[in-house]
Amino acid sequence: MTATYEKIATTTLSSTASSVAFTSISGSYTDLVLVISAKTSSGPADLLMRVNGDDNNNYGQTNLYGTGSAAASSRLTNRSVFYCNLVAYPSNNNNSNHIVQLQNYSNTTTYKTFLSRANNAGVGTDAIVGTWRSTSAITSLTFFADATTFASSSIFTIYGIKAE
Amino acid sequence: MSLILGILDSGGAAAGAGGSYESIATVTVGSGGASDVTFNSIPATYSHLQIRYIAQSAGYGRIQFNSNTTGSNYYSHYLSGIGANPVQAGELPGSTYSSIVWTVQSFSTTANTFNAGIIDILDYTSTNKNKTVRILQGVDKNGSGDIGLDSGLYSATPAAITSIKLFPHASNTWLQYSSFALYGIKGS
């Protein structure tokens, strides 16, 4: 047995940024885990993730969320991006935190399934499953805030988990 | 499909090499499918266990520990979003299932589309308390699917968990490319 949960890279913003990308992701792990604390420079905005630069309508997701007054479920189909949150979005007032799990990201035989948990104590909490309908290995991930930018101090970390 | 672990004398060295999260074993299902995936001879050298998987099957998932099939030793609850309201919630008594049950809303046999999940088994070596399992799992099929939070109880006379059997309900099988990886998390 070997130590198998490793940090691959961290990006801490020192100024606003329209996106944060992890590129040339090694295929030597089994799963990827993204841990994100995000804040926007202007108002609330969804945290979006794009895989391998694919902006075709290859993303779908099923959402479970609570707003403080109700629990609900919804679905998005044929989207050009994965929404890492439904209601627990980052804003310029509150950081949201997100943990996105990408299972078996480097295989070339299955579509890729994501699990996302998002939290913003000011607005709600999400559990989301998404699928990227491609059998390609994931080699890059790009995060951006819908229609605004990330504020400085937002932190994005990617970890790799290696199964034996 | 059963995996027998050998003598795990490298655990201390691995932990010393800088990790508290270690891979114990992985099973990937071949072309013939598998009626179950079982991890045996799990070492007691960790504080918690985690199973990370992708899987396809026509039946929802079940878990048994230490080959124990006594129904009264298990209980399960789930909270699921199925893409529409209302949110689904329910309990699954061990008297019916003789196991912890998960993915009760939706698994997948859709081409290339796999349920993904993370199963946490906390304090699995305790000999003085029942075992609690938590699961985050889901599958999206671009128009159907579910996201679920599941919990399970194993309340047999407290003993360390040394084996875990993961199997689909009702004689279904895990389909090809299903993959289950067992990890150990050290507490000190």
Side-chain angles (χ1 to χ4, degrees):
Chain A
M1 290 173 286
T2 57
T4 190
Y5 200 139
E6 300 174 342
K7 186 182 81 170
I8 299 172
T10 297
T11 297
T12 302
L13 297 182
S14 57
S15 60
T16 61
S18 58
S19 65
V20 171
F22 296 105
T23 60
S24 303
I25 298 170
S26 165
S28 61
Y29 300 97
T30 307
D31 299 340
L32 298 175
V33 181
L34 279 300
V35 179
I36 300 166
S37 176
K39 195 172 182 179
T40 70
S41 55
S42 175
D46 292 319
L47 178 67
L48 310 177
M49 181 179 79
R50 185 162 283 152
V51 179
N52 291 3
D54 181 7
D55 59 359
N56 295 307
N57 296 329
N58 288 322
Y59 304 83
Q61 63 188 82
T62 302
N63 317 299
L64 172 64
Y65 56 94
T67 62
S69 59
S73 182
S74 65
R75 177 169 290 122
L76 300 173
T77 59
N78 298 317
R79 297 298 174 124
S80 62
V81 72
F82 175 68
Y83 288 69
C84 298
N85 61 263
L86 249 288
V87 298
Y89 43 72
S91 71
N92 57 325
N93 292 319
N94 291 319
N95 282 63
S96 57
N97 70 57
H98 306 253
I99 299 177
V100 184
Q101 315 270 351
L102 290 78
Q103 318 284 82
N104 288 66
Y105 70 100
S106 64
N107 81 58
T108 56
T109 54
T110 74
Y111 294 168
K112 306 305 180 295
T113 303
F114 318 136
L115 294 167
S116 179
R117 282 278 295 108
N119 307 281
N120 182 334
V123 285
T125 188
D126 299 309
I128 300 170
V129 60
T131 299
W132 179 49
R133 295 193 303 282
S134 170
T135 58
S136 298
I138 293 174
T139 57
S140 75
L141 296 168
T142 304
F143 296 89
F144 50 104
D146 195 8
T148 185
T149 57
F150 294 120
S152 64
S153 80
S154 296
I155 302 174
F156 299 75
T157 304
I158 182 170
Y159 298 88
I161 297 176
K162 191 180 299 182
E164 292 183 334
Chain B
M1 181 175 293
S2 182
L3 183 67
I4 308 296
L5 301 179
I7 298 172
L8 301 165
D9 58 357
S10 63
S20 57
Y21 187 96
E22 297 178 349
S23 173
I24 299 174
T26 302
V27 176
T28 299
V29 175
S31 58
S35 59
D36 70 90
V37 168
T38 300
F39 297 104
N40 288 312
S41 303
I42 297 169
T45 52
Y46 302 98
S47 295
H48 313 294
L49 299 175
Q50 184 173 84
I51 297 168
R52 304 175 64 90
Y53 73 86
I54 61 170
Q56 277 193 328
S57 179
Y60 49 79
R62 296 169 62 184
I63 303 171
Q64 288 177 339
F65 296 120
N66 295 352
S67 303
N68 191 314
T69 60
T70 301
S72 59
N73 289 332
Y74 297 95
Y75 218 91
S76 308
H77 285 81
Y78 66 91
L79 174 67
S80 291
I82 58 171
N85 294 319
V87 168
Q88 307 291 301
E91 58 183 3
L92 302 159
S95 58
T96 301
Y97 297 96
S98 301
S99 58
I100 291 170
V101 177
W102 93 104
T103 63
V104 70
Q105 290 294 327
S106 179
F107 236 111
S108 174
T109 57
T110 303
N112 299 321
T113 306
F114 283 64
N115 179 291
I118 301 166
I119 302 170
D120 289 303
I121 305 163
L122 305 184
D123 205 4
Y124 71 104
T125 61
S126 173
T127 55
N128 56 29
K129 60 186 172 187
N130 297 331
K131 309 302 185 293
T132 299
V133 175
R134 65 175 184 179
I135 304 171
L136 170 65
Q137 56 77 26
V139 62
D140 181 87
K141 294 175 269 190
N142 197 43
S144 63
D146 92 293
I147 173 74
L149 303 169
D150 306 88
S151 68
L153 169 70
Y154 177 56
S155 59
T157 301
I161 291 173
T162 57
S163 74
I164 304 170
K165 179 181 179 181
L166 306 152
F167 59 107
H169 184 61
S171 301
N172 287 292
T173 58
W174 299 124
L175 303 183
Q176 185 180 22
Y177 304 124
S178 297
S179 184
F180 297 83
L182 174 67
Y183 299 91
I185 303 170
K186 289 185 179 295
S188 60

